[in-house]
Amino acid sequence: MPALHIEDLSEKEKLKMEVEQLRKEVKLQRQQVSKCSEEIKNYIEERSGDDPLVKGIPEDKNPFKEKGSCTIS
């Protein structure tokens, strides 16, 4: 499907696209930020023990570990 360039559309086509987008958005279920942020915080805290960025990667399982050293003579 070719990309649409908004500048190539007529004003009527732009408004039609905007109405279609608004119809999609009105159907979305909305939640309070305070509730969502609490759920996200709990999700992160529950899984932090398995997170390699928090816990670290064991040397024997680290795929980015130096294979050897470089010596210049």
Side-chain angles (χ1 to χ4, degrees):
M1 181 173 194
L4 290 175
H5 297 284
I6 197 77
E7 61 271 0
D8 296 338
L9 298 175
S10 70
E11 192 63 28
K12 183 178 179 180
E13 290 171 321
K14 291 177 189 177
L15 291 172
K16 188 174 182 179
M17 284 180 62
E18 185 175 356
V19 168
E20 288 174 13
Q21 181 63 33
L22 290 171
R23 284 185 177 150
K24 289 177 187 177
E25 290 179 18
V26 79
K27 293 177 185 176
L28 292 175
Q29 180 183 358
R30 309 239 179 215
Q31 293 184 359
Q32 294 179 341
V33 173
S34 58
K35 183 177 185 286
C36 293
S37 59
E38 185 67 28
E39 290 175 2
I40 291 171
K41 185 182 124 216
N42 292 338
Y43 177 87
I44 292 169
E45 288 175 349
E46 288 171 3
R47 288 158 181 79
S48 66
D50 299 328
D51 190 337
L53 296 176
V54 175
K55 185 178 167 186
I57 301 172
E59 283 294 318
D60 60 331
K61 294 184 180 182
N62 186 352
F64 302 106
K65 181 175 75 172
E66 293 283 334
K67 303 281 190 245
S69 61
C70 176
T71 57
I72 299 174
S73 46

